[in-house]
């Protein structure tokens, strides 16, 4: 039996491929592992059956035999450790790839998510216009650091690996912000990730769910 992941029945990102099941879909596509998807509504995400899989009532979850996992980073790492293609064979390079996964989630993603949440939910606040530049500058700091590291390289550390997969999915949240345009090396890096065939397959699969949910 293939593993089963959960995803939004009706994604709130309107088909832009930002929901975190995208990371897991992409990882599974990269390693050539077939998978099933169980779609869940926002109501079902807070029901006991789903909370037994994800105590915070979110997606994605991952079930394979008697193993159930939550948190996209943990799921991608599990996939990468059990299939060839997402982690280097060399032990040191493997450890560095995992470090980049953590960096994507712990260092780069938090200011990006904070900015995104402000833009979604705080526009009507009296202090929004004053706070927005501060949030944008926090993101710029990370983008500048990442740009310096990348230089002219295609990927973060040698060949494409799970660190790049996680970093690209984090950075894609900025696609409509205009901030990526200020850092051409980072924008090109994201573009290379999005051009990978496995990414396209994962994106199309997620988009198909949104399109189906949007039909009258």
């Amino acid at each position: 039996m293939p593993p089963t992941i959960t995803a939004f029945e009706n994604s709130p990102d309107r088909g832009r491929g930002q929901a975190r099941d995208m990371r897991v879909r992409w990882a599974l596509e990269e390693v050539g592992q077939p998978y099933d998807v169980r779609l869940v509504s926002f109501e079902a995400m807070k029901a006991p059956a789903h909370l037994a899989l994800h105590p915070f009532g979110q997606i994605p979850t991952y079930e394979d035999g008697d193993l159930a996992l939550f948190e996209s980073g943990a799921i991608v790492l599990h996939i990468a450790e059990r299939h060839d293609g997402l982690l280097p064979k060399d032990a040191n390079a493997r450890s560095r790839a995992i470090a980049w996964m953590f960096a994507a989630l712990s260092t780069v993603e938090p200011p990006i998510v904070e900015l995104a949440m402000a833009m979604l939910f705080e526009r009507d606040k009296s202090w929004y216009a004053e706070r927005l530049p501060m949030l944008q500058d926090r993101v710029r700091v990370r983008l500048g650091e990442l740009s310096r590291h990348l230089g002219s390289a295609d990927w973060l550390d040698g060949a494409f690996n799970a660190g790049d997969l996680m970093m690209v999915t984090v950075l894609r949240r900025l696609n409509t912000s205009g901030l990526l345009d200020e850092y051409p090396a980072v924008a090109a890096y994201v573009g290379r990730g999005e051009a990978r065939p496995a990414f396209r397959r994962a994106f199309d699969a997620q988009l198909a769910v949104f399109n189906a949910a949007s039909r009258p």
Side-chain angles (χ1 to χ4, degrees):
M1 293 287 292
T4 299
I5 68 171
T6 50
F8 287 123
E9 184 178 79
N10 192 356
S11 180
D13 74 0
R14 305 191 63 80
R16 292 194 296 269
Q18 307 290 9
R20 287 180 172 87
D21 65 290
M22 179 67 191
R23 302 166 178 178
V24 178
R25 291 175 185 268
W26 187 6
L28 290 164
E29 293 288 353
E30 285 284 352
V31 302
Q33 170 63 58
Y35 59 99
D36 293 327
V37 180
R38 184 171 68 253
L39 303 178
V40 292
S41 65
F42 290 105
E43 182 181 20
M45 287 165 59
K46 305 305 179 184
H50 188 75
L51 290 173
L53 299 173
H54 197 310
F56 304 107
Q58 299 175 339
I59 60 98
T61 60
Y62 172 98
E63 297 169 84
D64 190 7
D66 60 359
L67 174 67
L69 291 175
F70 64 99
E71 287 297 327
S72 61
I75 297 169
V76 170
L77 180 57
H78 172 80
I79 294 166
E81 288 181 328
R82 283 154 182 78
H83 300 272
D84 291 337
L86 282 176
L87 287 176
K89 298 295 185 183
D90 175 77
N92 288 345
R94 187 183 187 93
S95 294
R96 290 195 301 271
I98 294 171
W100 277 113
M101 292 181 67
F102 277 81
L105 297 176
S106 300
T107 302
V108 179
E109 186 170 49
I112 291 176
V113 169
E114 187 177 17
L115 172 62
M117 293 300 100
M119 294 176 71
L120 281 173
F121 301 116
E122 298 176 7
R123 287 183 180 273
D124 61 340
K125 306 299 182 182
S126 60
W127 35 260
Y128 174 75
E130 183 177 355
R131 185 168 184 254
L132 184 63
M134 176 189 70
L135 297 177
Q136 291 171 327
D137 285 344
R138 288 176 181 172
V139 173
R140 287 187 177 101
V141 169
R142 296 305 181 209
L143 294 179
E145 292 164 341
L146 195 58
S147 181
R148 286 193 293 274
H149 173 81
L150 278 168
S152 60
D154 284 346
W155 306 111
L156 293 170
D157 190 87
F160 175 87
N161 59 52
D164 296 296
L165 184 152
M166 197 62 64
M167 188 68 76
V168 169
T169 60
V170 166
L171 294 170
R172 290 189 69 253
R173 291 183 175 275
L174 297 172
N175 275 353
T176 60
S177 71
L179 291 175
L180 285 179
D181 296 336
E182 300 176 21
Y183 302 87
V186 180
Y189 168 70
V190 173
R192 283 189 291 274
E194 292 176 327
R196 292 181 68 83
F199 175 90
R200 299 311 312 174
R201 292 193 297 271
F203 182 89
D204 290 345
Q206 194 187 67
L207 181 62
V209 173
F210 171 76
N211 288 339
S214 302
R215 294 191 190 106

